[in-house]
Amino acid sequence: MADNTNPGNFTNRPKEEVQAAAQKGGQNSGGGFANMDPEKQKEIASKGGQASSGSFEPGSEKAKEAGRKLGLYANDMSLEDKLEKIRAPNLQNQRATSIILSAVEETLGDQKHIQSPTAYFAALLALLGQAIVPSNGTTNKELAPAVVYLLDLVVTHVPAPLLRSKFSQILTSLAPILTSEDAEAPLLRSSIGCLESLLLAQDAAAWALPHTQIGPRRAVAGLLSLASNQKPKVRKRAQEAITTILKNPPPSPSLDHPVADMCAETALKTASDVLAISDARNKKTKTYTQDQHQPDLLHALHLIKIIASASGGWPSKKIEPLCELLMAVSRSNNEYLTTSAFEVFEVLFTGMADQMSSSKLPRLMEAISELKPSRDDSQLLPPWLAVISRGYDVSAQISRDETFQKLPNLFDMVSVFLSSSSHDIRVSASECLISFLVNCIPDTAILEPSIYEEKILEKLALAANSLLSVRYQTAWMEVFNVQAALFEAMKWRASTLTRSIVYTIGELRASDSFNSKKEADTVLSTAIRAMGPQAILETLPLNLIKPQKGQPGRAWLLPLLRDNVKNTQLLHFRTEFVPLSEAMYQRVIDHGESDKTVEIKIFETIVHQTWALFPGYCNLPLDLANAFDQSFAELLSNLLYSQPNLRTSICRGLQTLVESNQEVLAVKSDERVLQLQSRVTKKQAQSNIDHLAQFAGNLLAVLFNVYSQTLPQYRGHILQCINAYLSITPET
């Protein structure tokens, strides 16, 4: 020890020596402070009280100023409430703490000291020297817990300059406790609390001290060691302290806390060492076992998550090794480890969504991309794809245009995994592609796309179309999910870009040998909502009026159209389906009064299915002013009189024309959101209402007449339609 320039500094001493000295603690305690003679207790406490009269004389301006800085004197209720609980302890194990506090306060009173946090601090600091002797590592196991506990309460209220000046003294005093394997959990937790407050008070100059000097970095090293302690409460308290410290860096231009690199390096090394031990054992036994090292690895990953969630996020220089470690952990069969690794990634991405830390994201994504597993690695590929998906979701939030530009390449990179023989890989790849489409296409590319953005959308459509090739046939169910997401993401822009996809799926759907008609119908339903019925029927004609040889009829499309048509061109209904209805109805009339054949029943069904589309076409049409004119109103009126079986569909359609526009007027969303959802602004909706109001009088007259001619049990839909048009009838 002769060569040790500072024998009280535990970090300069050999660990074995410090631990040996610490284990002697309590041998000189004299039977416990709580059992001492009261006069002896007062004598010990008074030494602490006397110590406060050095730098802080009773009533001195220095003492007043120290208290004034934090607004804390004896009337500080936050500290006072805590001390009051100690003065009247409810538990037996709090008696020693109560006696210490009582003795300190009595001494301060006798010497006419103000009971300020600073006075308490000075008194307890002197008592700390009595409880712990760093020079020989002895600890009074009865006195130390009470003194350190009180010091932990008081130190948070002490001015930062004073804490900085006493840093070395307190750290040296607490060293035997922090390095002792026999230290009790309550004493360790209080010691950690003291260190936390001390470290929060340090300035940039103190954090800049090298490891060779007594400074904050050495204290953090002790906390990092305790953050992997086997005692759960100690481990948790150390982790909380590290979190608080990293989230409160000293004023500095850097995003990262000065000690963040050291914390990251220590946590990485701890996790890597535990993982290496586990892998070596598994390799030796040639099996994967969830041995005793798994909890250690979970603790190490939790520490990494804590560091990553701190202010500034994970240090940039340590991103690559962290990604490599997390991907290695993700390969584990232990679901808890895999989940923990994903939680770390989630914390990383969440932290980088902040503008201050977003500069680290490109480096993180590059590191993750370089770790791309082989295409048949069913263990590592699914988690890797999940991480890639989440990463570019965050990237789209902070760098929307740049991420969109990368989208075609990302799509190509991931789509190759759809040809894998592993079902898990195919599902993961499809989910990743869906995430790209949902999160990475900006609204501007749909509402007001530039020429460049149109080219990107075109590339995406071509890439999606290629997924319907024979190469991906085993993954067609997953591919259909991707196609549906594409239609939803592109909305009406899909009408000119994805017709080849619609045609291919329509042809598959029509094949008798195709067994996934339900899945194909789901994709086509999404396409109808996005593209509109006109684009769909131009690609897949119904072929019902004059079917041609080699062109099958597609009456199966009518139910899909009925359930999914909305926010489209009403004029298309007039030009496409009114003629179809008339043609089918004419065939029924031409048949005469003879018994109905199956063919005639089919014609009647088509008529009803045709008009069943009408309410959908009336759901916020884009061309209401042009399509709904006098001639169309007269057609609907005639049908209401002459075709009782169509009244329900026609009344619902007329009612929807009014109510869908009224809903737009009632919505409080931003105009841009309305345009993206329905392409109808509030101004246009009001114009539509005004246009319909011109026909309200005549329509109401027809509806009242039809209402009177209808049996009571069938009047409900007519009455609802009447109410809708009464609500827009101009006042006279």
Side-chain angles (χ1 to χ4, degrees):
M1 293 296 295
D3 296 331
N4 192 334
T5 59
N6 188 353
N9 180 12
F10 70 94
T11 53
N12 283 336
R13 303 173 67 182
K15 184 176 181 181
E16 294 78 7
E17 181 183 342
V18 173
Q19 290 177 344
Q23 289 170 354
K24 296 178 182 178
Q27 293 176 358
N28 299 321
S29 64
F33 186 85
N35 296 323
M36 288 180 184
D37 182 85
E39 291 300 317
K40 180 65 173 177
Q41 296 170 351
K42 184 174 181 180
E43 178 186 351
I44 294 174
S46 67
K47 291 180 180 179
Q50 291 166 4
S52 69
S53 62
S55 300
F56 296 92
E57 292 294 333
S60 68
E61 286 301 315
K62 193 171 184 180
K64 291 179 181 178
E65 179 63 21
R68 222 181 274 116
K69 287 182 178 179
L70 291 178
L72 295 165
Y73 276 105
N75 62 350
D76 176 72
M77 295 308 297
S78 176
L79 177 59
E80 181 62 23
D81 287 345
K82 297 175 183 177
L83 296 179
E84 185 60 34
K85 290 182 179 179
I86 296 172
R87 294 184 188 111
N90 295 322
L91 301 176
Q92 184 66 27
N93 60 7
Q94 295 177 341
R95 285 178 53 81
T97 307
S98 177
I99 292 171
I100 289 287
L101 177 61
S102 176
V104 169
E105 290 180 336
E106 184 178 347
T107 302
L108 292 176
D110 291 343
Q111 298 180 1
K112 298 182 180 180
H113 281 268
I114 299 174
Q115 291 184 356
S116 67
T118 304
Y120 280 115
F121 175 70
L124 292 169
L125 197 58
L127 278 179
L128 184 64
Q130 300 291 325
I132 306 169
V133 183
S135 59
N136 58 19
T138 58
T139 302
N140 187 320
K141 293 186 178 181
E142 299 295 335
L143 180 59
V147 173
V148 178
Y149 178 79
L150 288 170
L151 189 63
D152 183 22
L153 291 182
V154 171
V155 76
T156 57
H157 303 280
V158 176
L162 179 58
L163 291 180
R164 286 197 290 270
S165 68
K166 298 296 181 181
F167 178 82
S168 298
Q169 178 184 346
I170 298 176
L171 178 60
T172 303
S173 297
L174 295 177
I177 299 173
L178 297 170
T179 57
S180 173
E181 294 181 355
D182 298 329
E184 296 293 331
L187 180 57
L188 279 172
R189 294 202 304 272
S190 297
S191 300
I192 292 168
C194 291
L195 276 188
E196 177 185 336
S197 299
L198 285 171
L199 291 169
L200 289 173
Q202 302 306 303
D203 55 19
W207 285 109
L209 291 174
H211 290 84
T212 54
Q213 298 183 30
I214 302 174
R217 291 178 179 271
R218 291 191 175 183
V220 172
L223 289 177
L224 288 169
S225 176
L226 292 171
S228 299
N229 194 279
Q230 295 302 315
K231 299 172 183 176
K233 292 184 178 180
V234 173
R235 182 173 65 248
K236 181 181 179 181
R237 185 65 186 91
Q239 292 170 350
E240 290 173 348
I242 292 171
T243 301
T244 304
I245 292 163
L246 292 178
K247 286 187 175 181
N248 293 275
S252 168
S254 174
L255 288 176
D256 299 332
H257 193 287
V259 82
D261 276 351
M262 186 187 88
C263 291
E265 186 173 351
T266 302
L268 277 175
K269 187 177 187 305
T270 302
S272 299
D273 290 347
V274 175
L275 184 62
I277 293 172
S278 180
D279 288 346
R281 181 166 302 186
N282 292 333
K283 188 178 294 185
K284 185 177 181 180
T285 59
K286 296 183 179 180
T287 57
Y288 188 92
T289 58
Q290 298 183 15
D291 58 22
Q292 68 270 24
H293 295 285
Q294 303 310 305
D296 293 340
L297 186 53
L298 284 171
H299 299 158
L301 289 174
H302 187 64
L303 179 58
I304 289 173
K305 184 168 69 172
I306 285 173
I307 297 169
S309 64
S311 178
W314 188 261
S316 301
K317 297 178 182 178
K318 306 297 180 183
I319 285 177
E320 288 83 355
L322 175 61
C323 291
E324 189 172 349
L325 170 71
L326 294 177
M327 294 310 298
V329 173
S330 299
R331 189 187 294 271
S332 168
N333 289 328
N334 187 324
E335 61 178 310
Y336 298 106
L337 289 177
T338 304
T339 301
S340 295
F342 283 141
E343 288 176 351
V344 176
F345 274 120
E346 178 62 26
V347 167
L348 286 173
F349 291 133
T350 301
M352 291 180 185
D354 178 77
Q355 290 294 331
M356 294 294 291
S357 305
S358 60
S359 58
K360 299 179 182 180
L361 186 59
R363 185 169 184 171
L364 174 61
M365 296 311 302
E366 182 180 350
I368 295 172
S369 298
E370 290 175 355
L371 294 172
K372 182 173 69 172
S374 62
R375 61 185 299 170
D376 295 319
D377 190 338
S378 59
Q379 272 192 312
L380 203 51
L381 255 179
W384 181 81
L385 288 167
V387 171
I388 284 286
S389 169
R390 178 66 176 121
Y392 281 104
D393 176 13
V394 175
S395 178
Q397 295 174 32
I398 60 179
S399 302
R400 182 190 61 187
D401 295 336
E402 292 180 12
T403 306
F404 183 52
Q405 292 172 13
K406 297 176 183 177
L407 197 51
N409 292 334
L410 293 173
F411 200 93
D412 291 339
M413 176 185 74
V414 174
S415 61
V416 297
F417 298 118
L418 288 171
S419 62
S420 172
S421 58
S422 168
H423 177 261
D424 290 342
I425 292 177
R426 295 197 302 269
V427 170
S428 297
S430 67
E431 290 175 347
C432 184
L433 292 174
I434 291 170
S435 176
F436 287 163
L437 294 170
V438 171
N439 299 313
C440 300
I441 298 180
D443 294 345
T444 54
I446 305 301
L447 291 172
E448 300 169 349
S450 64
I451 295 176
Y452 183 69
E453 288 174 329
E454 288 180 345
K455 292 293 184 183
I456 294 176
L457 292 176
E458 185 177 347
K459 288 180 181 179
L460 288 174
L462 290 172
N465 186 51
S466 68
L467 299 180
L468 292 169
S469 64
V470 177
R471 175 186 178 187
Y472 300 104
Q473 187 169 358
T474 56
W476 271 357
M477 295 304 99
E478 291 77 27
V479 168
F480 282 174
N481 292 333
V482 175
Q483 309 290 18
L486 179 73
F487 288 123
E488 289 183 354
M490 287 191 173
K491 298 185 177 0
W492 61 89
R493 299 293 171 191
S495 61
T496 57
L497 299 173
T498 59
R499 295 197 180 197
S500 57
I501 296 176
V502 171
Y503 179 79
T504 302
I505 296 178
E507 289 296 293
L508 288 171
R509 168 65 173 77
S511 173
D512 294 334
S513 61
F514 187 69
N515 297 321
S516 301
K517 289 180 169 54
K518 181 179 179 181
E519 289 78 6
D521 284 350
T522 300
V523 181
L524 291 173
S525 295
T526 311
I528 292 169
R529 292 194 297 271
M531 300 170 63
Q534 183 171 349
I536 296 294
L537 294 179
E538 288 174 355
T539 307
L540 299 173
L542 290 173
N543 294 329
L544 295 178
I545 297 179
K546 295 181 179 179
Q548 299 179 6
K549 188 176 182 181
Q551 295 184 359
R554 296 188 177 92
W556 53 267
L557 270 174
L558 292 174
L560 298 182
L561 292 167
R562 177 198 63 208
D563 296 336
N564 296 283
V565 167
K566 65 175 183 178
N567 194 210
T568 187
Q569 305 289 335
L570 179 58
L571 186 61
H572 181 252
F573 180 83
R574 292 185 61 181
T575 58
E576 177 78 19
F577 288 104
V578 171
L580 173 62
S581 172
E582 292 173 347
M584 295 296 108
Y585 186 67
Q586 187 61 45
R587 294 179 184 181
V588 173
I589 294 175
D590 292 344
H591 184 72
E593 298 296 329
S594 304
D595 293 338
K596 295 181 180 178
T597 63
V598 173
E599 186 178 30
I600 295 301
K601 291 180 179 179
I602 291 175
F603 294 153
E604 288 182 336
T605 300
I606 292 176
V607 171
H608 286 98
Q609 287 183 328
T610 298
W611 281 97
L613 303 177
F614 182 60
Y617 275 91
C618 293
N619 190 342
L620 215 58
L622 302 173
D623 60 344
L624 189 145
N626 294 327
F628 197 92
D629 55 16
Q630 186 63 35
S631 61
F632 191 51
E634 291 175 356
L635 171 65
L636 296 176
S637 299
N638 291 333
L639 290 173
L640 284 171
Y641 281 123
S642 61
Q643 299 293 328
N645 292 334
L646 302 181
R647 286 175 183 171
T648 300
S649 295
I650 294 174
C651 285
R652 285 178 179 171
L654 290 171
Q655 177 185 347
T656 303
L657 280 175
V658 175
E659 293 181 348
S660 61
N661 283 282
Q662 288 177 331
E663 288 173 3
V664 171
L665 293 174
V667 169
K668 296 181 180 180
S669 300
D670 183 79
E671 285 288 332
R672 190 180 184 85
V673 176
L674 282 176
Q675 280 189 291
L676 191 63
Q677 292 176 345
S678 62
R679 291 183 284 175
V680 174
T681 65
K682 290 189 176 184
K683 182 178 180 180
Q684 292 169 330
Q686 185 59 59
S687 177
N688 290 340
I689 293 292
D690 294 341
H691 179 75
L692 290 172
Q694 300 175 22
F695 300 90
N698 292 334
L699 286 174
L700 283 171
V702 173
L703 289 168
F704 279 123
N705 288 333
V706 172
Y707 181 84
S708 64
Q709 299 171 9
T710 305
L711 294 174
Q713 61 266 36
Y714 300 118
R715 289 175 175 175
H717 53 274
I718 302 174
L719 183 60
Q720 291 173 355
C721 188
I722 289 172
N723 289 334
Y725 280 86
L726 284 173
S727 69
I728 64 169
T729 301
E731 296 182 2
T732 57

